[in-house]
Amino acid sequence: TIRYQKFSCASDVYAFGLVIWEICCLGATVYGSIATSDLLTRIKKGIRPEKQPFISEDLYQLMLNCWELDPTERVEISDAIGLLKQLQSSPNYYLNFSINDIHLPYYLPLLEIKN
């Protein structure tokens, strides 16, 4: 999508993973510490939003499945939603904000103002 401005179900799945990360990080800016000019190169090299300590491994793995570099390898949206439903009904905590010294990722409100 970034390179060719073509949208697909696979690009929507990638975006869905980013939205999950943003929600889990209480509105933090995805890739907030990376310069826009470096973003595409870093994504192609496999850089993904960091796993925050308060996000469970299962939930982060779902995000990683959404962010596969090869669009054909990404999870189907119906499977992603099904997995979220499973996680929601699980007795485990998938977001744990009781961890000491939590530092949320960057939030860059000026990005919204400029756009």
Side-chain angles (χ1 to χ4, degrees), residues 5-43:
Q5 298 301 303
K6 289 189 176 187
F7 301 90
S8 66
C9 291
S11 65
D12 291 345
V13 167
Y14 193 100
F16 182 68
L18 294 176
V19 170
I20 294 171
W21 186 92
E22 289 175 327
I23 291 169
C24 291
C25 294
L26 306 177
T29 303
V30 178
Y31 300 116
S33 61
I34 299 173
T36 305
S37 58
D38 296 335
L39 189 56
L40 182 57
T41 303
R42 297 194 63 189
I43 289 173

Side-chain angles (χ1 to χ4, degrees), residues 59-113:
L59 185 55
Y60 189 68
Q61 186 59 56
L62 171 60
M63 293 178 214
L64 291 174
N65 293 344
C66 292
W67 300 329
E68 285 288 340
L69 188 57
D70 181 350
T72 64
E73 296 293 320
R74 291 183 195 146
V75 65
E76 295 288 327
I77 192 66
S78 57
D79 294 334
I81 291 169
L83 226 108
L84 277 178
K85 287 181 180 179
Q86 280 182 333
L87 293 177
Q88 180 184 9
S89 63
S90 171
N92 296 323
Y93 291 97
Y94 286 91
L95 289 175
N96 183 359
F97 292 108
S98 65
I99 299 170
N100 292 334
D101 297 324
I102 287 182
H103 299 286
L104 290 172
Y106 297 106
Y107 172 66
L108 302 172
L110 294 179
L111 289 177
E112 288 87 15
I113 292 170

